[in-house]
């Protein structure tokens, strides 16, 4: 097959873009990119039923590196945006760079800041980035001895990628030893658990902070707040995130400056000194404590669901922004935001984050999403005989823009009331901290 030609001129450029992933984050990215006049054609691998409305979906899994590379070459893709961490840690950016394809995201070495919690903690230690005190262990008995000496509460984490499930906040020794058992002895997370990081328990309020990094310039995005627990009032098991909003009033201009000065900039400089220069979006999970901001962990991609409200609030051309980041041109960029709050509520399948049914029908989406300031981003959905059915745990992300957090929240819940999906559930208190503050 012969590659189709594409028009590669920066300025009057029309680009063929490929987004990798299939969640709400990737729907939001595709939606934002598709609005750009610079977007000629947009593909998403593998995408979902919502992404189909704004991009051509291609049945290639996000972790099918060979399949992605072949698609990129055959279709003369100009720019690749990688959503999830897996392909980044596996080195997709390295392979694309070898083919001279511009891509958004860190290479494999820099992606290890998400791929190894211990590596990040060591970097924090070397460059004085405030974070919880910690120790690393590859021997379960030594880990237990340390826990016994430290006392509880204490946090036990599998070192590697564990789909958000490898973190145990332990109230007592039984829980902490149980976590060591699961991670290191029963190997429930495979080789991700061959090492553990044991951390001091931090008290405070969490925030999600994002910065675009192009190799020279570091540009903060709008701070957000996620809701990790499955149920209202932060009850129930931890999930990938049940809702998010931005901006988060917890991170005002003064706090943002501290985060940049004390956490983000020293990390980026330290990473470069360590021979792991970072490019892409650095996502700092933060605890805002009485002593100031402290790092919980780094991710090397946009947050899901945080990306959904961030994309909705973004006024600038998303394609131009991500491309400027990938091309090292952020110094020429000033991001514009809508002067409003965006809030996203996740609809999940009953049972999530445990076992859940797939293939249940969802109705009412057209009506629920018909206003301009509402977007229903899809996560785990697919089409089946023209019907939209669920295909995952987190299924829809109802996102609204409003003048205030209260109005965004009201609009999002009004839209949800129009969705007919008896097999789903959602939290009814997304944004409660901002509403109370
Ligand atoms: P992580 O996957 O590392 O972001 O951790 C998942 C969740 O565990 C975080 O969002 C926090 O709620 C909690 N957590 C992780 N580390 C700590 C810590 N050192 N102190 C208190 N809570 C923590
Ligand atoms: N919402 C948290 C994450 O994307 O990891």
């Amino acid at each position: 097959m012969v590659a189709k030609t594409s028009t590669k001129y920066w300025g009057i450029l029309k680009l063929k873009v490929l987004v990798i992933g299939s969640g709400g984050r990737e729907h939001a990215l595709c939606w934002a990119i598709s609005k750009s006049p610079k977007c000629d054609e947009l593909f998403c691998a593998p995408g979902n039923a919502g992404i189909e409305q704004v991009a051509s979906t291609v049945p290639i899994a996000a972790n099918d590196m060979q399949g992605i590379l072949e698609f990129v070459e055959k279709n003369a893709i100009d720019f690749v945006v990688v959503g999830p961490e897996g392909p980044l840690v596996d080195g997709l950016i390295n392979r694309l760079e070898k083919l001279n394809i511009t891509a958004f995201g860190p290479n494999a070495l820099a992606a290890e800041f998400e791929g190894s919690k211990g590596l990040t903690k060591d970097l924090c230690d070397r460059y004085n980035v405030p974070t919880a005190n910690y120790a690393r262990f590859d021997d379960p008995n030594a880990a237990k001895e340390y826990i016994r000496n430290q006392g509880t509460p204490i946090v036990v984490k599998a070192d590697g990628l564990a789909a958000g499930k490898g973190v145990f906040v332990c109230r007592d020794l039984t829980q902490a030893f149980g976590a060591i058992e699961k991670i290191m002895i029963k190997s429930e997370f495979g080789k991700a658990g061959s090492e553990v990081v044991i951390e001091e328990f931090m008290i405070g309020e969490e925030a999600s902070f994002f910065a675009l990094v192009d190799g020279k310039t570091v540009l903060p995005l709008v701070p957000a707040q996620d809701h990790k627990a499955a149920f209202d009032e932060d009850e129930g098991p931890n999930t990938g995130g049940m809702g998010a909003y931005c901006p988060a009033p917890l991170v005002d201009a003064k706090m943002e400056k501290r985060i940049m000065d004390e956490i983000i900039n020293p990390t980026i400089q330290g990473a470069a000194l360590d021979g792991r220069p970072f490019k892409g979006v650095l996502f700092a999970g933060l605890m805002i404590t009485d002593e100031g901001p402290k790092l919980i962990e780094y991710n090397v991609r946009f947050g899901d669901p945080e990306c959904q409200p961030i994309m909705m609030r973004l006024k600038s051309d998303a394609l131009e922004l991500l491309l400027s980041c990938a091309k090292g041109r952020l110094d020429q960029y000033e991001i514009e935001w809508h002067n409003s709050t965006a809030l996203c509520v996740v609809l999940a399948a009953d049972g999530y984050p445990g076992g859940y049914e797939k293939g249940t029908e969802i109705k009412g989406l057209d009506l629920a999403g018909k206003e301009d300031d509402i977007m229903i981003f899809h996560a785990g959905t697919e089409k089946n005989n023209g019907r939209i059915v669920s295909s995952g745990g987190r299924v829809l992300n109802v996102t609204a823009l409003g003048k205030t957090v209260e109005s965004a929240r009201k609009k999002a819940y009004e839209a949800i009331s129009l969705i007919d999906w008896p097999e789903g559930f959602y939290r009814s208190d997304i944004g409660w901290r901002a509403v109370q503050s």
Side-chain angles (χ1 to χ4, degrees):
M1 193 180 287
V2 179
K4 287 192 236 162
T5 49
S6 67
T7 42
K8 284 197 179 182
Y9 313 101
W10 176 257
I12 44 161
L13 179 73
K14 282 273 196 182
L15 293 165
K16 287 199 170 89
V17 184
L18 171 66
V19 173
I20 308 292
S22 61
R25 168 182 50 207
E26 287 76 24
H27 189 181
L29 288 169
C30 285
W31 170 76
I33 291 169
S34 72
K35 291 191 296 178
S36 169
K38 292 202 164 87
C39 183
D40 179 21
E41 272 187 89
L42 178 59
F43 300 91
C44 185
N48 61 37
I51 293 175
E52 273 178 43
Q53 294 157 15
V54 289
S56 306
T57 56
V58 285
I60 302 172
N63 62 2
D64 178 0
M65 174 113 57
Q66 207 46 44
I68 291 169
L69 295 171
E70 280 168 19
F71 181 85
V72 163
E73 286 208 291
K74 275 187 189 151
N75 292 278
I77 298 294
D78 301 297
F79 184 40
V80 180
V81 176
V82 184
E85 61 279 12
L88 296 169
V89 172
D90 289 347
L92 179 57
I93 300 291
N94 306 57
R95 298 288 300 274
L96 288 166
E97 279 174 356
K98 269 201 190 134
L99 297 175
N100 271 328
I101 306 290
T102 311
F104 177 80
N107 64 20
L109 263 185
E112 276 188 53
F113 292 121
E114 180 159 356
S116 165
K117 290 182 192 292
L119 182 103
T120 293
K121 298 294 283 190
D122 289 352
L123 177 120
C124 291
D125 196 35
R126 272 198 302 285
Y127 298 104
N128 291 322
V129 174
T131 183
N133 292 329
Y134 76 105
R136 302 174 69 170
F137 295 95
D138 57 12
D139 169 37
N141 291 326
K144 285 184 182 168
E145 184 60 27
Y146 177 80
I147 292 170
R148 220 176 269 118
N149 290 334
Q150 293 295 310
T152 53
I154 200 156
V155 184
V156 179
K157 302 183 176 182
D159 181 74
L161 291 185
K165 292 181 187 143
V167 173
F168 297 84
V169 177
C170 308
R171 272 193 312 271
D172 52 40
L173 281 185
T174 312
Q175 286 185 345
F177 289 177
I180 296 291
E181 192 77 18
K182 278 190 181 149
I183 299 173
M184 302 190 88
I185 296 166
K186 293 195 184 136
S187 300
E188 288 187 10
F189 308 101
K191 70 177 184 350
S194 53
E195 205 184 296
V196 288
V197 175
I198 301 178
E199 286 182 14
E200 164 204 5
F201 175 73
M202 296 188 284
I203 295 173
E205 191 174 328
E206 287 180 52
S208 301
F209 193 88
F210 299 87
L212 292 180
V213 186
D214 73 353
K216 302 184 292 277
T217 305
V218 184
L219 206 58
L221 299 176
V222 57
Q225 197 164 46
D226 187 11
H227 300 63
K228 290 227 167 87
F231 309 131
D232 282 6
E233 296 180 23
D234 292 334
E235 294 287 340
N238 246 2
T239 69
M242 291 299 292
Y245 63 97
C246 71
L250 171 70
V251 181
D252 56 14
K254 213 164 129 198
M255 182 58 72
E256 176 169 323
K257 184 169 181 328
R258 282 194 71 176
I259 293 167
M260 288 299 289
D261 292 349
E262 295 171 27
I263 297 182
I264 305 292
N265 285 327
T267 298
I268 297 300
Q269 284 155 14
L273 287 173
D274 285 359
R276 293 177 193 272
F278 187 89
K279 271 178 93 170
V281 59
L282 186 66
F283 164 7
L286 300 174
M287 192 70 88
I288 310 298
T289 72
D290 288 347
E291 293 159 28
K294 292 191 181 180
L295 182 76
I296 301 176
E297 63 160 4
Y298 279 126
N299 298 307
V300 298
R301 34 106 193 149
F302 280 107
D304 187 346
E306 290 95 325
C307 184
Q308 291 78 310
I310 290 176
M311 286 300 129
M312 225 165 144
R313 209 171 160 264
L314 181 68
K315 201 167 166 187
S316 301
D317 181 318
L319 176 53
E320 223 175 75
L321 178 62
L322 300 179
L323 196 61
S324 300
C325 181
K327 293 219 176 236
R329 292 178 175 151
L330 279 182
D331 57 335
Q332 297 163 24
Y333 214 92
E334 204 170 314
I335 307 179
E336 280 187 89
W337 300 101
H338 290 291
N339 187 18
S340 49
T341 292
L343 182 138
C344 166
V345 181
V346 172
L347 272 61
D350 278 338
Y352 172 82
Y356 50 81
E357 203 184 336
K358 289 185 185 175
T360 55
E361 186 173 3
I362 304 160
K363 293 188 210 149
L365 292 176
D366 288 346
L367 187 62
K370 80 174 187 329
E371 303 294 334
D372 282 350
D373 47 10
I374 302 280
M375 273 304 301
I376 301 182
F377 295 117
H378 290 222
T381 65
E382 62 188 23
K383 273 214 180 119
N384 184 338
N385 289 329
R387 301 170 312 148
I388 304 281
V389 301
S390 67
S391 63
R394 291 190 295 172
V395 172
L396 296 168
N397 307 147
V398 178
T399 312
L401 263 187
K403 281 211 170 67
T404 60
V405 67
E406 287 86 351
S407 69
R409 186 184 203 197
K410 189 162 172 280
K411 284 184 203 174
Y413 283 111
E414 275 169 10
I416 289 173
S417 71
L418 301 172
I419 297 175
D420 178 10
W421 183 37
E423 295 83 2
F425 79 99
Y426 57 89
R427 275 182 65 156
S428 68
D429 64 349
I430 300 304
W432 66 270
R433 286 189 183 84
V435 172
Q436 277 178 6
S437 66

